[in-house]
């Protein structure tokens, strides 16, 4: 078990460094390639929007293709990401082609996240205990460390230095995927098309409503992250400071993700989700209203108690309360609603607002999005009846 936990930890460690290369430095990379804030918003927005289609489709391949497993699926899609990033890095592509390729890259990467989580859920169903929160927390720490290193590399060299980090960490992902043992869980428990997305949403109403409530603050946090370099430079910082700020933000997730299993022994999942929703308000509004870099970094440090708790709890929550044959759909819906729909709105609107009205208009928009989500989650919480035995409303 310890060896399996270590391998899964390392998988997250390498994977989230590559995620940081692609998503954490998207604005820096694409600015370097000549794209505007509006174009970057189109890239990240459409990349997230297409996830609404690609995520369920990619997940469905497990049930449609004989012999396809979650591990094989992540391996194949990751190789595709690896090739796309290399093409954009080394070829002098015109802006339209660059935009199309980066959209494809983001949609593939976002679609992989729920499948990566499902690998753990499959092992749990097979009787192997894995601490998902710990592995995901290590992924956050590696994302943070990678951001700090790449921020310095960008300042000292140029944005293309990110490519070297992506290549090294990408090889690590493929090695760890190959080393993971096959899951013996029955094929029918991983099939995702035994229930349509619409039927799933009707069956598990409470889970769906909570995802919609979190879509707003998580999306706002995503938008603030996409354009964090603009906020940092507006307050007088540099690419190196951007890397440090990202390091502190993502690094704060590990402690909270690692102790999630202990917290769930003392508190109901919905209570922890309510806490996460409240601290999303604290996090996002502090960033939006930050008058200087010190306050900005303080706001980013609330990432752990907001995003960290939400990510770990909602994944375990779905595994415990959704029928096993619907587990992959639960993870997929999380990506579709929170990552797909939410990120589509904030990235596109955020980029357009900046180019048209300035940075402050984007910050106001993100603050309003956060407050809407908190009010929705508060309404769900105050409604009571939190003994979710089946999560079917």
């Amino acid at each position: 078990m310890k060896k399996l936990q270590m391998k899964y930890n390392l998988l997250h460690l390498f994977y989230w460094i590559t995620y940081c290369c692609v998503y954490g430095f998207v604005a820096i990379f694409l600015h370097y390639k000549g794209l505007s804030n509006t174009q970057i918003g189109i890239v990240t927005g459409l990349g997230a929007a297409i996830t609404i289609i690609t995520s369920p489709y990619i997940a469905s391949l497990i049930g449609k293709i004989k012999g396809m497993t979650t591990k094989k699926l992540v391996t194949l899609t990751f190789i595709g990401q690896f090739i796309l990033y290399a093409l954009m890095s080394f070829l002098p592509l015109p802006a339209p082609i660059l935009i199309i390729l980066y959209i494809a890259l983001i949609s593939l990467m976002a679609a992989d996240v729920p499948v990566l989580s499902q690998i753990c859920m499959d092992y749990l169903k097979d009787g192997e205990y894995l601490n998902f929160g710990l592995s995901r927390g290590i992924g956050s720490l590696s994302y943070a460390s990678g951001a700090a290193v790449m921020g310095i590399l960008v300042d000292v060299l140029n944005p293309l230095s990110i490519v070297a980090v992506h290549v090294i960490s990408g090889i690590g992902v493929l090695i760890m995927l190959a080393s993971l043992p096959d899951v013996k869980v029955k094929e029918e428990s991983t099939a995702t098309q035994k229930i349509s997305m619409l039927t799933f949403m009707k069956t598990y109403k409470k889970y769906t409503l909570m995802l919609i409530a979190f879509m707003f603050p998580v999306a706002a946090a995503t938008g603030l992250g996409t354009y964090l370099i603009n906020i940092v430079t507006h307050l007088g910082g540099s690419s190196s400071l951007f890397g440090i700020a990202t390091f502190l933000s993502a690094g704060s997730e590990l402690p909270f993700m690692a102790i999630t299993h202990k917290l769930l022994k003392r508190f109901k999942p919905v209570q922890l989700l309510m806490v996460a929703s409240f601290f999303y308000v604290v996090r996002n509004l502090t960033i939006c209203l930050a008058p200087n870099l010190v306050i900005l970094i303080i706001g980013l440090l609330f990432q752990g108690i907001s995003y960290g708790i939400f990510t770990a709890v909602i994944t375990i929550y779905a595994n415990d309360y959704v029928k096993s044959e619907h587990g992959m759909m639960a993870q997929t819906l999380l990506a579709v609603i929170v990552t797909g729909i939410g990120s589509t709105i904030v990235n596109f609107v955020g980029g357009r607002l900046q180019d048209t009205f300035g940075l402050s208009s984007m910050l106001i928009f993100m603050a309003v999005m956060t407050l809407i989500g908190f009010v929705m989650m508060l309404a769900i919480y105050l409604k009571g009846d939190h003994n979710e035995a089946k999560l079917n409303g």
Side-chain angles (χ1 to χ4, degrees), residues 11 13 27 29 49 51 98 109 138 145 159-160 174 199 216 271-272 294 332 338 350 369 374 388 390 393:
L11 174 61
L13 185 149
F29 182 86
T51 302
L98 182 63
M109 179 156 276
I138 288 173
S145 303
L160 288 183
L174 294 174
T199 302
F216 291 92
Q271 292 175 319
L272 293 176
V294 174
T332 301
V338 178
M369 288 278 288
F374 175 73
E388 305 93 334
K390 296 292 182 182

Side-chain angles (χ1 to χ4, degrees), residues 37 163 238:
N37 287 322
V163 180
S238 63

Side-chain angles (χ1 to χ4, degrees), residues 17-26 85 102 150 162 165-166:
I17 293 177
T18 65
Y19 196 96
C20 182
C21 294
V22 171
Y23 216 100
F25 282 74
V26 58
Y85 197 74
Y102 216 104
M150 286 185 283
I162 300 169
V165 179
H166 187 271

Side-chain angles (χ1 to χ4, degrees), residues 202-368:
K202 291 179 179 178
T203 303
Y204 303 102
K205 295 188 181 93
K206 195 174 295 183
Y207 175 74
T208 303
L209 287 173
M210 285 192 292
L211 290 185
I212 294 172
F214 270 98
M215 175 185 72
F216 291 92
V218 174
T222 299
L224 290 171
T226 298
Y227 301 109
L228 181 60
I229 184 62
N230 296 353
I231 301 173
V232 169
T233 53
H234 174 74
L235 295 175
S238 63
S239 295
S240 293
L241 188 58
F242 165 78
I244 293 171
T246 305
F247 169 79
L248 294 172
S249 175
S252 69
E253 297 171 11
L254 175 57
F256 293 96
M257 288 182 169
I259 64 170
T260 297
H261 67 292
K262 292 184 178 179
L263 291 174
L264 286 169
K265 292 178 181 178
R266 297 188 60 184
F267 303 99
K268 294 178 180 178
V270 74
Q271 292 175 319
L272 293 176
L273 290 172
M274 189 67 238
V275 169
S277 181
F278 171 76
F279 279 102
Y280 258 118
V281 174
V282 175
R283 177 200 186 277
N284 291 355
L285 265 63
T286 301
I287 294 171
C288 291
L289 300 173
N292 53 56
L293 290 167
V294 174
I295 301 300
L296 174 67
I297 290 175
I298 290 173
L300 290 168
L301 288 173
F302 284 102
Q303 175 85 349
I305 200 169
S306 54
Y307 177 81
I309 287 182
F310 166 69
T311 301
V313 172
I314 200 69
T315 301
I316 297 172
Y317 190 45
N319 184 63
D320 289 345
Y321 294 108
V322 173
K323 292 180 180 179
S324 59
E325 61 266 31
H326 301 157
M328 190 64 228
M329 182 59 74
Q331 304 298 333
T332 301
L333 192 66
L334 171 61
V336 168
I337 293 179
V338 178
T339 303
I341 299 174
S343 295
T344 299
I345 296 169
V346 298
N347 283 314
F348 177 74
V349 175
R352 189 62 182 169
L353 284 173
Q354 285 182 84
D355 284 344
T356 307
F357 302 107
L359 182 63
S360 60
S361 62
M362 186 271 287
L363 297 176
I364 292 171
F365 174 69
M366 299 304 177
V368 172

Side-chain angles (χ1 to χ4, degrees), residues 1 15 28 48 207 243 346:
M1 188 277 289
Y15 181 83
I28 291 177
Y207 175 74
V346 298

Side-chain angles (χ1 to χ4, degrees), residues 42-252:
I42 291 172
V43 168
T44 53
L46 285 179
I50 294 175
T51 302
I52 298 171
I53 300 172
T54 58
S55 191
Y57 175 75
I58 288 175
S60 72
L61 296 178
I62 298 173
K64 290 180 178 178
I65 300 177
K66 185 177 181 180
M68 181 62 71
T69 64
T70 49
K71 188 180 79 168
K72 290 179 182 178
L73 189 59
V74 173
T75 301
L76 292 173
T77 52
F78 187 81
I79 290 172
Q81 297 170 35
F82 201 79
I83 294 172
L84 285 173
Y85 197 74
L87 290 174
M88 290 183 290
S89 300
F90 298 114
L91 296 182
L93 302 171
I97 300 299
L98 182 63
I99 288 172
I100 291 171
L101 291 182
Y102 216 104
I103 287 172
L105 174 62
I106 288 176
S107 63
L108 271 178
M109 179 156 276
D112 257 356
V113 174
V115 187
L116 199 66
S117 301
Q118 187 61 34
I119 288 176
C120 176
M121 300 306 113
D122 287 346
Y123 282 123
L124 290 174
K125 291 180 176 69
D126 193 36
E128 297 279 359
Y129 174 75
L130 283 180
N131 185 339
F132 173 79
L134 175 62
S135 299
R136 184 59 185 82
I138 288 173
S140 294
L141 186 60
S142 69
Y143 182 107
S145 303
V149 171
M150 286 185 283
I152 295 171
L153 288 175
V154 168
D155 263 356
V156 174
L157 301 173
N158 62 60
L160 288 183
S161 58
I162 300 169
V163 180
V165 179
H166 187 271
V167 169
I168 294 170
S169 55
I171 292 173
V173 170
L174 294 174
I175 290 174
M176 295 320 302
L177 282 169
S179 71
L180 285 174
D182 292 328
V183 183
K184 298 176 183 177
V185 66
K186 292 181 181 179
E187 182 180 349
E188 60 264 26
S189 69
T190 60
T192 62
Q193 292 304 302
K194 290 181 181 255
I195 186 171
S196 70
M197 186 171 290
L198 184 60
T199 302
F200 180 95
M201 293 170 71
K202 291 179 179 178
T203 303
Y204 303 102
K205 295 188 181 93
K206 195 174 295 183
Y207 175 74
T208 303
L209 287 173
M210 285 192 292
L211 290 185
I212 294 172
F214 270 98
M215 175 185 72
F216 291 92
V218 174
T222 299
L224 290 171
T226 298
Y227 301 109
L228 181 60
I229 184 62
N230 296 353
I231 301 173
V232 169
T233 53
H234 174 74
L235 295 175
S238 63
S239 295
S240 293
L241 188 58
F242 165 78
I244 293 171
T246 305
F247 169 79
L248 294 172
S249 175
S252 69

